[in-house]
Amino acid sequence: MLHLISASPVPPAVLERIDPGSSVVFLENAVLWILRDGRLYDRLAGMLADHHLYALSADLLMRGIEADRIVEGIEVIDYQGLVELTVAHPLIQSWN
């Protein structure tokens, strides 16, 4: 399943509902919550073992966040990558 998270702040309860093996894309203001020095660092770093985590490059750029400031292991993708993920996952859940 593909989860699109745009909620800010990112509720920890949302992260708990995401099954292992799922893909998660952080977009819009949710990218503010994936910083290496952020409150969700431990949770996100732990999720990387059995989830695929992504951040939309345009939303990072719009907020002045360099890719090296986000949790290591979160892949930065462009809109084409987002489209590819939506095609690859027939089930999509949006969290706003």
Side-chain angles (χ1 to χ4, degrees):
M1 176 177 259
L2 177 63
H3 296 266
L4 305 176
I5 300 179
S6 58
S8 180
V10 174
V14 166
L15 299 177
E16 292 169 12
R17 291 186 176 105
I18 300 173
D19 293 329
S22 294
S23 294
V24 181
V25 179
F26 295 92
L27 24 96
E28 298 177 8
N29 282 335
V31 299
L32 298 170
W33 292 87
I34 61 171
L35 298 175
R36 286 185 184 199
D37 58 354
R39 284 189 263 169
L40 293 178
Y41 174 82
D42 291 332
R43 177 74 177 141
L44 295 172
M47 288 180 72
L48 285 164
D50 53 11
H51 296 78
H52 305 281
L53 305 182
Y54 304 91
L56 191 61
S57 59
D59 288 327
L60 291 172
L61 180 65
M62 185 180 302
R63 287 152 184 85
I65 300 171
E66 298 289 331
D68 63 352
R69 290 185 51 211
I70 65 173
V71 174
E72 187 175 351
I74 296 178
E75 184 179 341
V76 177
I77 59 171
D78 58 12
Y79 283 110
Q80 179 63 36
L82 179 60
V83 170
E84 291 170 6
L85 285 170
T86 61
V87 170
H89 294 84
L91 296 175
I92 300 172
Q93 173 68 52
S94 294
W95 303 93
N96 7 2

